[in-house]
Amino acid sequence: MHLNDNEIQRDIYNLILNPSTREWERESLLKVKDRRADVNFSTQLDDIKSDLRPLALRHNLTPDVMDFYLKISGEPQPDSSDKVRLHDEADPPHQERAIFAGGCFWCMVSPFDKRPGITAVISGYTGGEFDNPNYDQVVGQYTGHVEAVEILFDKRLITYQELVDIYWQLIDPTDNMGQIDDRGESYRPVIFVNNDEQRQIAEQSRQAVIDSEIYSKPIVVEISDVTRFWPAENFHQDFYKKNTSRYRKIERTRRLYLSLQHSKNMMRKLFKKVKG
């Protein structure tokens, strides 16, 4: 892969000025920038990769810096800008949007993305009080946002009801302080509705879960009107495709938890029925 000197320098300057860049990341970038007159371009790239690699391997860089590291290291990292751009475009005929929050958005994309009729599943933040939130702010619970996915779908091929049915299979609806290993208010489960029809479907669906008496604890999933949805950084888009092994470990833990919960609840309900 050919890297352009001017483009890399521009990326470095932008990351230095980016308020989301952590201080130690900024210091590493400034150190490399200041040495530009003393070393050649190849050495400069080696210095940056050497500084960033330890935390990149542990996925502990801020998203924009992580994208930059993957760019200069040559590791594959699909650009999701075309998908994110769909968020700002007007919906064509027969397209509708659904927004669900259910814990970490890394695990909320794949189950919807593979269904016929899905145009795009975009990871992002919504339900908060501030504009342009970033990942660290949301996870730090400074903005009131939750991690969520915005689903653009062709309602001729898949219905909103079907999407809601999938949603209930992905979450623990009794936990309003996170989901499985993801703890905190930014991971609470919420269905954000775009119109009266979606609200009616969501509310009827929630009531059906309550009436099923599968869960011994109260169903705490909120149903709220849509607020502005902010697409997340490129690193988080299509995470299940970009970081396959890490995603599989997280998804396996989540699936096992939900499967065990479902089995226990079904056994409890059966026992209660037999005893009654």
Side-chain angles (χ1 to χ4, degrees), residues 104-121:
C104 178
F105 46 28
W106 291 348
C107 290
M108 291 289 289
V109 177
S110 177
F112 295 104
D113 204 28
K114 298 176 180 179
R115 304 279 175 156
I118 301 299
T119 304
V121 183

Side-chain angles (χ1 to χ4, degrees), residues 43-102:
T43 301
Q44 186 184 33
L45 288 181
D46 289 341
D47 288 346
I48 302 175
K49 286 185 284 188
S50 177
D51 280 354
L52 299 181
R53 182 176 294 112
L55 289 182
L57 294 176
R58 298 201 296 272
H59 300 278
N60 200 23
L61 295 172
T62 50
D64 289 337
V65 176
M66 186 66 172
D67 283 340
F68 175 70
Y69 170 80
L70 293 170
K71 178 179 182 178
I72 63 175
S73 66
E75 297 178 28
Q77 183 75 351
D79 185 357
S80 301
S81 57
D82 286 342
K83 171 185 279 192
V84 172
R85 195 175 298 118
L86 294 174
H87 166 75
D88 295 319
E89 295 181 358
D91 291 326
H94 310 297
Q95 180 169 287
E96 195 172 325
R97 303 185 185 217
I99 298 180
F100 301 118

Side-chain angles (χ1 to χ4, degrees), residues 174 215-219 268:
T174 68
Y215 297 92
S216 59
K217 298 179 182 179
I219 303 302
R268 179 191 58 77

